[in-house]
Amino acid sequence: MTSQVSSTAEQADGSVVGEQRGPGGTKSVRRLDRVIIRFAGDSGDGMQLTGDRFTSETASFGNDLSTLPNFPAEIRAPAGTLPGVSSFQLHFADHDILTPGDAPNVLVAMNPAALRANIADVPRGAEIIVNTDEFTKRAMQKVGYDSSPLEDGSLDGYQLHPVPLTTLTVEALKDFDLTRKEAERSKNMFALGLLSWMYHRPTEGTERFLTSKFAKKPDIAAANIAAFRAGWNFGETTEDFAVSYEVAPAAKAFPVGTYRNISGNLALAYGLIAASRQADLPLFLGSYPITPASDILHELSRHKNFGVRTFQAEDEIAGIGAALGAAFGGSLAVTTTSGPGVALKSETIGLAVSLELPLLVVDIQRGGPSTGLPTKTEQADLLQAMYGRNGEAPVPVIAPQTPADCFDAALEAARIALAYRTPVFLLSDGYLANGSEPWRIPEPDELPDLTVQFAQGPNHTLEDGSEVFWPYKRDPQTLARPWAVPGTPGLEHRIGGIEKQDGTGNISYDPANHDLMVRTRQAKIDGIEVPDLEVDDPQGARTLVLGWGSTYGPITAAVRRLRAAGEGIAQAHLRHLNPFPRNLGAVLEAYDRVVIPEMNLGQLATLIRARYLVDAHSYNQVNGMPFKAEQLATALKEAIDG
């Protein structure tokens, strides 16, 4: 059977690239270069699972993608309310993309609350698929609708598809021995099937997933698969969906290799495992569950076969205390938390600075202060990581820039901790932790050698000629002290938080010695070898946008938009925040204007102004969501023109 291709005018966003019509002009297939879909419903509607499955099939198809799961802040908000809305946004394309997208082309709203909570983000002309079964008078009044938005004309500017998802799902499962309530739970699979038809997504992986997930409940597995297929068939047969869409694989976007879809927390967990293998050290995680860091604990607990030991402590303080003990015992030690947990761990981080032992402190930042917004993202822990301890307690700080980059950032954090015998902060955030993108699985020979040498015997000769072990005698290059594993004969030494004498490690209250030790610990951190900052400036711009962490995607997308419009702008992104790259000062001096977008009130900008006396301009957002590319492009254009 053949089809004919007819040209289609390109939309303002450049998304439509062609259209195919089947025989007789029915069921057109429109080719797009990218699509943004948002699934939204109650937290119990399975929107995260639906989005995750659509993402997995999209990844297997070969598209580039970026996701933004958005969870309710409450564990279980009342059903049908605005605080209870859960959503999952996916941006996929036939080319390289960097963000989950500014606004959805398609919104799937499972109830009135989902529609009301998300409609402001949906541009006119976009498609809206609503579950009409949930638009009862009571449900609409609960979220402030005086009349039905499906009938009062308020959605006339959109391509509205009213679909009785619940009724159709129950009808599709009438032959199964399920109660109506049990059958209704599969409506998310019906919606997934419909969207899979609309965008020509593979279906075999989802069916295998459902079979595996409900292996102990084969009837439930069969019912979900039946609902999924019914949704696909509905799209194929209904007249309401006359067009389906194709987004070709992103064949030119990726270097050759084997890829998988990965979230930031998963990539970080894999990076920690890889680091322990490259260092030939057992991995120990001492942690206390906290959103959004808990997934790292869950994932690492599955990998005992790689020598990983996980300890879920009774609180944050016990978690880091156990990790520091494991570091003393010769393990690659890690503790994971989010902002409030960092505050509780601060005393033990200071102890690790004093003891000069390698320790990875992973902070998955979230909205604060205090409990704040547990499920929302923020970048507001930078100053806490830099200075949130008593005394002069310098700690290296690094930050990944994308979900996949969390793998490499974990390896880099381990390199610094092991080579320089210091705790290291790794600052991810909720956006990176829960978001996902394709990741090229590295070959083993691409990974860095992190092998460390433990102290084996005496390292100092006294005036009388006797050889002794000095626990604070330093490597002349790194200023790191030796790492002596407890139980090694002749290497017994004192530990604790009281100041140590240089070299011997004996307790010392001598003012001059304290001054020397404080300055030496600072010099050790200042001397860490980090790569120079790379600047992307193909046009010789006068304005530089400087970012760190998860702002990389939105900033880069905004820069691309400006350059496509003929504007000159340079971009640089910091991975190492302490110490800064050695060439950072020279980079800043080369530009007339420096703009620093952050999801805080200007913490990096404060550090840059203080250190380099540069009049850096802040552009800040603290609403719990990542920047939008268009929003940043507008702000950067104003800076260029300013």
Side-chain angles (χ1 to χ4, degrees), residues 6-19 30-34 95:
S6 61
S7 63
T8 300
E10 185 172 315
Q11 293 181 348
D13 64 0
S15 60
V16 177
V17 295
E19 185 169 322
R30 185 172 299 174
R31 292 186 291 113
L32 308 176
D33 65 357
R34 61 186 178 87
H95 57 277

Side-chain angles (χ1 to χ4, degrees), residues 464-479:
D464 62 5
S466 59
E467 294 185 339
V468 296
F469 174 67
W470 274 15
Y472 281 84
K473 186 170 184 175
R474 300 182 182 278
D475 181 285
Q477 297 298 320
T478 64
L479 298 182

Side-chain angles (χ1 to χ4, degrees), residues 472-534:
Y472 281 84
K473 186 170 184 175
R474 300 182 182 278
D475 181 285
Q477 297 298 320
T478 64
L479 298 182
R481 78 176 186 90
W483 194 0
V485 176
T488 306
L491 304 189
E492 298 84 1
H493 61 284
R494 186 188 305 273
I495 63 169
I498 299 177
E499 186 63 278
K500 308 297 186 298
Q501 184 181 47
D502 181 42
T504 68
N506 296 329
I507 290 176
S508 173
Y509 297 100
D510 178 58
N513 177 78
H514 178 61
D515 185 272
L516 173 64
M517 293 296 278
V518 168
R519 295 180 186 274
T520 301
R521 287 190 289 261
Q522 183 66 58
K524 180 174 70 169
I525 304 306
D526 292 342
I528 292 173
E529 290 290 336
V530 303
D532 280 349
L533 180 65
E534 296 183 1

Side-chain angles (χ1 to χ4, degrees), residues 123-268:
R124 294 283 174 168
E127 295 191 80
I128 300 177
I129 301 171
V130 296
N131 179 15
T132 56
D133 289 322
E134 296 297 323
F135 278 72
T136 63
K137 184 176 181 179
R138 182 165 181 253
M140 289 186 289
Q141 288 177 341
K142 189 182 294 187
V143 295
Y145 282 125
D146 296 326
S147 60
S148 173
L150 310 183
E151 301 171 355
D152 63 8
S154 60
L155 300 179
D156 285 350
Y158 305 92
Q159 300 179 56
L160 180 64
H161 300 282
V163 180
L165 289 172
T166 306
T167 299
L168 291 171
T169 302
V170 172
E171 177 64 21
L173 303 183
K174 64 182 180 181
D175 294 333
F176 289 82
D177 187 21
L178 300 174
T179 65
R180 180 180 176 86
K181 186 174 182 179
E182 290 172 333
E184 288 178 357
R185 290 175 182 164
S186 297
K187 62 181 180 290
N188 64 323
M189 288 297 104
F190 188 100
L192 177 60
L194 173 58
L195 269 293
S196 297
W197 172 84
M198 285 182 64
Y199 291 96
H200 295 238
R201 299 297 90 183
T203 60
E204 296 81 3
T206 292
E207 294 191 7
R208 286 195 300 269
F209 168 82
L210 292 171
T211 300
S212 173
K213 180 177 177 62
F214 298 106
K216 296 181 179 180
K217 299 179 179 179
D219 291 344
I220 299 298
N224 277 281
I225 291 172
F228 176 66
R229 291 175 177 173
W232 196 96
N233 291 331
F234 177 78
E236 177 73 9
T237 57
T238 183
E239 295 182 2
D240 192 35
F241 292 90
V243 179
S244 63
Y245 305 90
E246 285 185 349
V247 180
K252 298 180 181 180
F254 307 118
V256 175
T258 301
Y259 287 80
R260 60 157 295 167
N261 185 50
I262 200 165
S263 69
N265 273 352
L266 184 58
L268 206 156

Side-chain angles (χ1 to χ4, degrees), residues 260-610:
R260 60 157 295 167
N261 185 50
I262 200 165
S263 69
N265 273 352
L266 184 58
L268 206 156
Y270 286 176
L272 294 173
I273 296 172
S276 75
R277 303 294 284 185
Q278 293 303 107
D280 195 25
L281 295 175
L283 177 64
F284 180 90
L285 173 67
S287 185
Y288 180 75
I290 185 172
T291 301
S294 300
D295 287 341
I296 302 171
L297 170 62
H298 300 158
E299 183 61 33
L300 289 179
S301 68
R302 300 187 178 106
H303 297 287
K304 297 180 178 64
N305 55 313
F306 287 116
V308 178
R309 294 183 180 180
T310 54
F311 170 54
Q312 181 175 321
E314 65 268 29
D315 55 39
E316 296 281 5
I317 298 171
I320 190 173
L324 185 57
F328 180 60
S331 293
L332 175 59
V334 184
T335 190
T336 55
T337 189
S338 190
V342 174
L344 292 167
K345 295 177 187 291
S346 61
E347 183 178 6
T348 306
I349 296 171
L351 177 59
V353 171
S354 177
L355 297 181
E356 300 188 47
L357 287 171
L359 174 67
L360 303 188
V361 181
V362 178
D363 178 9
I364 312 298
Q365 300 166 95
R366 73 188 205 189
S370 188
T371 305
L373 303 174
T375 61
K376 309 301 179 182
T377 195
E378 206 165 270
Q379 284 185 301
D381 293 350
L382 176 57
L383 294 182
Q384 179 179 221
M386 290 284 288
Y387 302 119
R389 294 162 295 283
N390 66 295
E392 296 287 348
V395 172
V397 181
I398 70 172
Q401 60 190 29
T402 69
D405 187 50
C406 290
F407 178 87
D408 295 318
L411 285 164
E412 175 67 355
R415 177 191 73 84
I416 293 173
L418 294 172
Y420 294 89
R421 310 287 197 267
T422 177
V424 176
F425 259 101
L426 178 56
L427 292 182
S428 179
D429 61 41
Y431 171 39
L432 296 184
N434 297 316
S436 63
E437 65 178 351
W439 171 59
R440 187 181 70 84
I441 302 172
E443 298 296 331
D445 59 7
E446 297 175 3
L447 301 178
D449 182 4
L450 302 179
T451 305
V452 295
Q453 183 65 47
F454 291 119
Q456 300 297 321
N459 61 357
H460 184 75
T461 303
L462 300 177
E463 293 181 359
D464 62 5
S466 59
E467 294 185 339
V468 296
F469 174 67
W470 274 15
Y472 281 84
K473 186 170 184 175
R474 300 182 182 278
D475 181 285
Q477 297 298 320
T478 64
L479 298 182
R481 78 176 186 90
W483 194 0
V485 176
T488 306
L491 304 189
E492 298 84 1
H493 61 284
R494 186 188 305 273
I495 63 169
I498 299 177
E499 186 63 278
K500 308 297 186 298
Q501 184 181 47
D502 181 42
T504 68
N506 296 329
I507 290 176
S508 173
Y509 297 100
D510 178 58
N513 177 78
H514 178 61
D515 185 272
L516 173 64
M517 293 296 278
V518 168
R519 295 180 186 274
T520 301
R521 287 190 289 261
Q522 183 66 58
K524 180 174 70 169
I525 304 306
D526 292 342
I528 292 173
E529 290 290 336
V530 303
D532 280 349
L533 180 65
E534 296 183 1
V535 182
D536 176 20
D537 185 7
Q539 300 168 300
R542 305 312 307 159
T543 299
L544 171 72
V545 54
L546 179 68
W548 69 279
S550 66
T551 57
Y552 172 79
I555 289 175
T556 307
V559 166
R560 288 181 180 179
R561 294 189 185 196
L562 290 171
R563 290 177 181 170
E567 300 289 346
I569 187 166
Q571 178 187 1
H573 209 78
L574 288 167
R575 164 173 294 212
H576 296 88
L577 298 156
N578 192 33
F580 285 130
R582 285 172 173 75
N583 69 330
L584 177 56
V587 168
L588 296 171
E589 290 177 1
Y591 293 91
D592 296 337
R593 301 179 192 86
V594 177
V595 183
I596 304 179
E598 299 180 77
M599 293 187 292
N600 57 47
L601 295 183
Q603 297 189 12
L604 175 62
T606 297
L607 295 174
I608 293 294
R609 292 188 189 110

